[in-house]
Coordinates of all heavy atoms in Angstrom, one line a residue:
M1 N 11.1 -0.5 -31.7 CA 11.1 -0.2 -33.1 C 11.3 1.3 -33.3 O 12.0 1.8 -34.1 CB 9.8 -0.7 -33.7 CG 9.6 -2.2 -33.8 SD 8.1 -2.6 -34.6 CE 8.2 -4.4 -34.5
M2 N 10.6 2.1 -32.4 CA 10.8 3.5 -32.5 C 12.2 3.9 -32.0 O 12.8 4.8 -32.6 CB 9.7 4.2 -31.6 CG 9.9 5.8 -31.6 SD 9.8 6.6 -33.2 CE 8.0 6.8 -33.3
A3 N 12.8 3.2 -31.1 CA 14.1 3.5 -30.6 C 15.1 3.3 -31.7 O 16.0 4.1 -32.0 CB 14.5 2.6 -29.4
Y4 N 15.0 2.1 -32.4 CA 15.8 1.9 -33.6 C 15.7 3.0 -34.7 O 16.6 3.5 -35.3 CB 15.5 0.5 -34.2 CG 16.2 -0.7 -33.7 CD1 15.5 -1.8 -33.2 CD2 17.6 -0.8 -33.8 CE1 16.2 -2.9 -32.8 CE2 18.3 -1.9 -33.4 CZ 17.6 -3.0 -32.9 OH 18.2 -4.1 -32.4
H5 N 14.4 3.3 -34.9 CA 14.1 4.4 -35.9 C 14.8 5.7 -35.6 O 15.4 6.4 -36.4 CB 12.6 4.5 -36.0 CG 12.2 5.5 -37.1 ND1 12.3 5.2 -38.4 CD2 11.6 6.7 -37.0 CE1 11.8 6.2 -39.1 NE2 11.4 7.1 -38.3
Q6 N 14.8 6.0 -34.3 CA 15.4 7.3 -33.8 C 16.9 7.2 -34.0 O 17.6 8.2 -34.3 CB 15.1 7.5 -32.3 CG 13.6 7.9 -32.1 CD 13.3 9.3 -32.7 OE1 13.9 10.3 -32.3 NE2 12.3 9.3 -33.5
A7 N 17.5 6.0 -33.9 CA 18.9 5.9 -34.1 C 19.3 6.2 -35.5 O 20.4 6.7 -35.8 CB 19.4 4.5 -33.8
V8 N 18.4 6.0 -36.5 CA 18.6 6.3 -37.9 C 18.4 7.8 -38.2 O 19.2 8.4 -38.9 CB 17.8 5.4 -38.8 CG1 17.9 5.8 -40.2 CG2 18.2 3.9 -38.6
I9 N 17.2 8.3 -37.7 CA 16.8 9.6 -38.2 C 17.3 10.8 -37.3 O 17.3 11.9 -37.7 CB 15.3 9.7 -38.4 CG1 14.6 9.6 -37.0 CG2 14.8 8.6 -39.4 CD1 13.1 10.0 -37.1
S10 N 17.6 10.5 -36.0 CA 17.9 11.6 -35.1 C 18.9 11.1 -34.0 O 18.7 11.3 -32.8 CB 16.7 12.1 -34.5 OG 16.9 13.3 -33.8
P11 N 20.0 10.5 -34.4 CA 20.9 9.9 -33.4 C 21.5 10.9 -32.4 O 21.8 10.6 -31.3 CB 22.0 9.2 -34.2 CG 22.0 10.0 -35.5 CD 20.5 10.3 -35.8
N12 N 21.7 12.1 -32.9 CA 22.4 13.1 -32.0 C 21.5 13.7 -31.0 O 21.9 14.6 -30.2 CB 23.0 14.3 -32.9 CG 24.1 13.8 -33.8 OD1 24.9 12.9 -33.4 ND2 24.1 14.2 -35.0
T13 N 20.2 13.3 -30.9 CA 19.3 13.7 -29.9 C 19.6 12.9 -28.6 O 19.2 13.4 -27.5 CB 17.8 13.4 -30.3 OG1 17.6 14.2 -31.5 CG2 16.8 13.9 -29.3
Y14 N 20.3 11.8 -28.7 CA 20.5 10.9 -27.5 C 21.9 10.6 -27.2 O 22.8 10.7 -28.1 CB 19.7 9.6 -27.8 CG 18.3 9.8 -28.3 CD1 18.0 9.8 -29.7 CD2 17.3 10.0 -27.4 CE1 16.8 10.0 -30.2 CE2 16.0 10.2 -27.9 CZ 15.7 10.2 -29.2 OH 14.5 10.5 -29.7
S15 N 22.2 10.2 -26.0 CA 23.5 9.8 -25.5 C 23.6 8.3 -25.8 O 24.7 7.8 -26.3 CB 23.7 10.1 -24.1 OG 22.7 9.5 -23.3
Y16 N 22.6 7.5 -25.4 CA 22.6 6.1 -25.6 C 21.2 5.7 -26.0 O 20.2 6.3 -25.6 CB 22.9 5.3 -24.3 CG 24.3 5.7 -23.7 CD1 24.4 6.6 -22.7 CD2 25.4 5.2 -24.2 CE1 25.7 7.0 -22.2 CE2 26.7 5.5 -23.8 CZ 26.8 6.4 -22.7 OH 28.0 6.8 -22.3
I17 N 21.1 4.6 -26.7 CA 19.8 4.0 -27.2 C 19.8 2.5 -26.8 O 20.7 1.8 -27.2 CB 19.5 4.3 -28.6 CG1 19.5 5.8 -28.9 CG2 18.2 3.6 -29.1 CD1 19.3 6.1 -30.4
F18 N 18.7 2.1 -26.1 CA 18.6 0.7 -25.7 C 17.3 0.1 -26.4 O 16.2 0.3 -25.9 CB 18.4 0.6 -24.2 CG 19.6 0.7 -23.4 CD1 20.3 2.0 -23.3 CD2 20.2 -0.3 -22.7 CE1 21.4 2.1 -22.5 CE2 21.3 -0.2 -22.0 CZ 22.0 1.0 -21.9
P19 N 17.5 -0.5 -27.6 CA 16.3 -1.2 -28.2 C 16.3 -2.7 -27.7 O 17.2 -3.4 -27.9 CB 16.6 -1.2 -29.7 CG 17.9 -0.5 -29.8 CD 18.6 -0.5 -28.5
I20 N 15.2 -3.1 -27.0 CA 15.1 -4.4 -26.4 C 14.0 -5.2 -27.2 O 12.8 -4.8 -27.2 CB 14.7 -4.4 -24.9 CG1 15.5 -3.3 -24.2 CG2 14.8 -5.7 -24.3 CD1 16.9 -3.4 -24.1
S21 N 14.4 -6.3 -27.8 CA 13.4 -7.1 -28.5 C 12.7 -6.4 -29.6 O 11.4 -6.5 -29.7 CB 12.5 -7.8 -27.5 OG 13.2 -8.5 -26.6
G22 N 13.4 -5.6 -30.4 CA 12.7 -4.8 -31.5 C 13.4 -5.0 -32.8 O 14.2 -5.9 -33.0
S23 N 13.0 -4.2 -33.8 CA 13.7 -4.2 -35.1 C 13.5 -2.9 -35.8 O 12.7 -2.0 -35.4 CB 13.0 -5.3 -35.9 OG 11.8 -4.9 -36.4
L24 N 14.2 -2.7 -36.9 CA 14.2 -1.5 -37.7 C 13.0 -1.5 -38.7 O 12.8 -0.5 -39.4 CB 15.5 -1.3 -38.4 CG 16.4 -0.3 -37.9 CD1 17.7 -0.4 -38.6 CD2 15.9 1.1 -37.9
K25 N 12.3 -2.6 -38.8 CA 11.3 -2.8 -39.8 C 11.8 -2.4 -41.2 O 12.7 -3.1 -41.7 CB 10.1 -1.9 -39.4 CG 9.3 -2.4 -38.2 CD 8.8 -3.8 -38.3 CE 7.4 -3.8 -39.0 NZ 6.8 -5.1 -39.0
Y26 N 11.2 -1.4 -41.8 CA 11.4 -1.2 -43.2 C 12.8 -0.6 -43.6 O 13.3 -0.7 -44.7 CB 10.3 -0.3 -43.8 CG 10.4 1.1 -43.4 CD1 11.1 2.1 -44.1 CD2 9.7 1.5 -42.2 CE1 11.1 3.4 -43.7 CE2 9.8 2.8 -41.8 CZ 10.5 3.8 -42.5 OH 10.5 5.0 -42.1
Y27 N 13.4 0.1 -42.6 CA 14.7 0.8 -42.9 C 15.8 -0.2 -43.4 O 16.5 0.2 -44.3 CB 15.2 1.6 -41.7 CG 15.0 3.0 -41.9 CD1 14.0 3.7 -41.1 CD2 15.7 3.8 -42.8 CE1 13.8 5.1 -41.3 CE2 15.5 5.1 -43.0 CZ 14.5 5.8 -42.2 OH 14.3 7.1 -42.4
S28 N 15.9 -1.3 -42.7 CA 17.0 -2.2 -43.1 C 16.9 -2.8 -44.5 O 17.8 -3.2 -45.1 CB 17.2 -3.3 -42.1 OG 16.0 -4.0 -42.0
K29 N 15.6 -2.7 -45.0 CA 15.4 -3.3 -46.3 C 15.3 -2.3 -47.4 O 15.9 -2.5 -48.5 CB 14.0 -4.1 -46.3 CG 14.0 -5.2 -45.3 CD 12.7 -5.8 -45.2 CE 12.6 -7.0 -44.2 NZ 11.3 -7.6 -44.0
N30 N 14.7 -1.1 -47.2 CA 14.4 -0.2 -48.2 C 15.4 1.0 -48.2 O 15.3 1.8 -49.2 CB 13.0 0.4 -48.1 CG 12.0 -0.7 -48.3 OD1 12.3 -1.8 -48.8 ND2 10.8 -0.5 -47.9
Q31 N 16.2 1.2 -47.2 CA 17.1 2.3 -47.1 C 18.6 1.9 -47.1 O 19.4 2.6 -46.5 CB 16.8 3.2 -45.9 CG 15.3 3.6 -45.8 CD 15.0 4.7 -46.8 OE1 15.9 5.5 -47.1 NE2 13.8 4.7 -47.3
A32 N 18.9 0.9 -47.8 CA 20.2 0.3 -47.7 C 21.3 1.2 -48.2 O 22.5 1.1 -47.8 CB 20.3 -1.0 -48.6
K33 N 21.0 2.2 -49.0 CA 22.0 3.1 -49.6 C 22.0 4.4 -48.8 O 22.6 5.4 -49.2 CB 21.7 3.4 -51.0 CG 21.8 2.2 -51.9 CD 21.6 2.6 -53.4 CE 21.7 1.3 -54.2 NZ 21.5 1.6 -55.7
L34 N 21.4 4.5 -47.6 CA 21.4 5.7 -46.8 C 22.9 6.0 -46.4 O 23.7 5.1 -46.1 CB 20.6 5.4 -45.5 CG 20.3 6.6 -44.6 CD1 19.4 7.6 -45.3 CD2 19.8 6.2 -43.2

């Protein structure tokens, strides 16, 4: 969940992100117009 969150708020900090069995929680619902 934190890995997904980082992909949204700070993607350029990482080369690759591997979220295993997680979710974005509130972002996919409340931030649709990001």
Side-chain angles (χ1 to χ4, degrees):
M1 291 183 184
M2 177 58 88
Y4 269 124
H5 185 70
Q6 290 293 303
V8 174
I9 68 167
S10 191
N12 294 322
T13 302
Y14 310 96
S15 55
Y16 302 100
I17 298 178
F18 283 72
I20 317 298
S21 303
S23 77
L24 258 173
K25 292 298 277 186
Y26 71 92
Y27 254 110
S28 58
K29 298 174 182 177
N30 298 344
Q31 302 291 326
K33 294 182 180 180
L34 190 69

